[in-house]
Amino acid sequence: MTHGRRTDVSPSQQGGGDWRDSAARYALLPLRIFLGVTFVYAGLDKLTDSAFMKDGGAGSVGDMMRAVRDSSALPALVDLALKNPPGFGYAIALGELAVGVGVLLGLLTRLAALGGALISLSLWLTVSWASDPYYYGNDLPYMFCWVPLVLAGAPLWSLDAMIGNRRRRGAY
């Protein structure tokens, strides 16, 4: 006995589809919520931490970048950040905040997700590159978590979907 989907009837003939159809439609929503909340929190945490946005001192972005410089995959990227550690700290924090809000609202979701993937990639190549074994560093899994949202966007419960629906209705 197989448990595949019936191919002789369409979902509309089945009364809107079964639970698997609903689950597939909503599959990215938990990922959107988790990544959005996490990135909003990370951005706000950095912006409200008085020690983080400094060139040096305990908990500062400057000291963190100096500590990871020699073990990173891209020391040149760390050197670039070290030219202005507070500026880099603000750029990361505001980027995380923009990505998180964009994904939560579902506004320019693919672009926001691409931004999240690039932030995660840059942090993996610099800050968590030396994690051994590699799966102890969290930036690499975050990068791959963004990929489904880059590919699919936010088709449900999003401003992108609402705007798309309005465009389609206006085209007729």
Side-chain angles (χ1 to χ4, degrees):
M1 175 184 214
T2 63
H3 295 283
R5 295 182 54 160
R6 287 184 60 185
T7 59
D8 58 334
V9 291
S10 70
S12 62
Q13 292 171 320
Q14 295 175 355
D18 62 4
W19 67 270
R20 290 174 289 196
D21 293 327
S22 292
R25 279 193 303 273
Y26 291 94
L28 292 179
L29 195 55
L31 187 61
R32 261 182 63 205
I33 293 168
F34 171 74
L35 290 171
V37 168
T38 300
F39 267 56
V40 165
Y41 178 76
L44 290 175
D45 188 45
K46 288 173 180 69
L47 289 171
T48 58
D49 182 354
S50 60
F52 182 77
M53 295 298 179
K54 297 197 185 245
D55 186 30
S60 70
V61 65
D63 278 4
M64 179 184 64
M65 297 312 291
R66 280 186 279 283
V68 301
R69 192 231 176 257
D70 292 335
S71 63
S72 76
L74 297 174
L77 187 59
V78 178
D79 289 339
L80 182 64
L82 283 169
K83 290 183 181 198
N84 185 357
F88 175 74
Y90 279 109
I92 289 291
L94 293 173
E96 288 172 336
L97 193 57
V99 163
V101 169
V103 168
L104 283 174
L105 295 177
L107 181 62
L108 301 172
T109 308
R110 286 186 169 113
L111 182 61
L114 179 61
L118 291 174
I119 289 171
S120 297
L121 175 64
S122 67
L123 293 174
W124 174 59
L125 291 172
T126 56
V127 178
S128 62
W129 179 258
S131 296
D132 186 32
Y134 75 93
Y135 52 82
Y136 279 175
N138 63 356
D139 297 310
L140 184 60
Y142 273 105
M143 184 188 73
F144 282 104
C145 285
W146 286 110
V147 172
L149 294 175
V150 170
L151 297 174
L156 296 172
W157 293 4
S158 69
L159 292 174
D160 290 342
M162 187 170 49
I163 292 166
N165 287 338
R166 282 191 179 182
R167 284 184 182 155
R168 279 189 292 282
R169 279 194 308 253
Y172 296 109

